[in-house]
């Protein structure tokens, strides 16, 4: 803020700091904007389908479909999800100039999600293999979808609070 060798006044310096903080907060809010709705729906469907596909692949005997068919389904939905994630990230970056970031989300929400969701989705498949009862897969599928919706709503609320 120095021009022609003149130092800024304390008020000008404070004003510049406030402007800098406002720009940083704005950039963080932009990066924390919720996923597009189509990707949120895709993510929720993927989370709901994964325990059933993984459970079918892990079943001790053929359950509804042969094991290799379940593996093919699981690989196919994962490839589709990965492709759509790349499209969502690229679209967001082109639209805003900011890459999708998860570091702006509160750790108290993201750490339990990153640990708990895989345990839920994969643990149900192990329980299904041991017991042979598909209720484990259905419960994990519904719980995973509910967690996805809840996390999305929290994401939306965080965005509204910071913007």
């Amino acid at each position: 803020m120095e021009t022609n060798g003149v130092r800024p006044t304390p008020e000008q310096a404070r004003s510049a700091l406030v402007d800098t903080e406002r720009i940083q907060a704005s950039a963080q809010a932009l990066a924390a904007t919720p996923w597009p709705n189509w990707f949120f729906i895709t993510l929720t469907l993927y989370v709901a389908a994964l325990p059933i596909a993984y459970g079918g692949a892990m079943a001790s005997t053929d359950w509804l479909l042969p094991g290799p068919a379940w593996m093919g389904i699981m690989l196919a939905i994962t490839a589709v999800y990965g492709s759509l994630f790349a499209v969502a990230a690229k679209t967001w970056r082109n639209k805003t100039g900011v890459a999708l970031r998860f570091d702006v989300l509160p750790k108290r929400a993201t750490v339990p999600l990153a640990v708990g969701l895989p345990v839920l989705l994969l643990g149900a498949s192990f329980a299904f293999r041991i017991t042979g009862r598909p209720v484990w897969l259905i419960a994990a599928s519904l719980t995973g979808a509910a967690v996805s919706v809840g996390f999305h709503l929290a994401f939306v609320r965080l965005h509204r609070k910071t913007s």
Side-chain angles (χ1 to χ4, degrees):
M1 184 148 182
E2 196 170 11
T3 58
N4 298 334
V6 178
R7 296 192 66 168
T9 65
E11 293 81 24
Q12 290 172 325
R14 278 192 281 284
S15 175
L17 284 174
V18 168
D19 288 344
T20 301
E21 289 172 1
R22 190 173 46 238
I23 290 168
Q24 287 174 340
S26 175
Q28 283 184 341
L30 208 73
T33 300
W35 297 104
N37 284 335
W38 64 266
F39 186 72
F40 156 65
I41 292 166
T42 300
L43 176 60
T44 301
L45 291 174
Y46 176 71
V47 168
L50 192 61
I52 294 169
Y54 195 63
M58 284 189 56
S60 55
T61 60
D62 287 349
W63 176 69
L64 301 177
L65 295 171
W70 284 114
M71 283 301 280
I73 290 169
M74 196 167 58
L75 292 173
I77 63 174
T78 301
V80 167
Y81 168 75
S83 299
L84 291 175
F85 177 84
V87 168
K90 186 174 190 294
T91 302
W92 179 250
R93 190 173 44 255
N94 290 343
K95 179 180 172 185
T96 64
V98 177
L100 287 172
R101 295 175 39 206
F102 293 104
D103 63 330
V104 296
L105 298 174
K107 299 290 185 252
R108 69 181 186 278
T110 55
V111 170
L113 181 72
V115 172
L117 198 56
V119 169
L120 170 74
L121 300 179
L122 301 177
S125 299
F126 285 109
F128 170 66
R129 181 178 172 91
I130 292 167
T131 65
R133 298 185 59 195
V135 69
W136 292 102
L137 303 177
I138 295 165
S141 180
L142 294 173
T143 303
V147 167
S148 177
V149 169
F151 194 76
H152 178 74
L153 293 175
F155 201 21
V156 168
R157 191 173 60 113
L158 174 69
H159 172 65
R160 287 186 183 141
K161 192 185 318 183
T162 58
S163 48

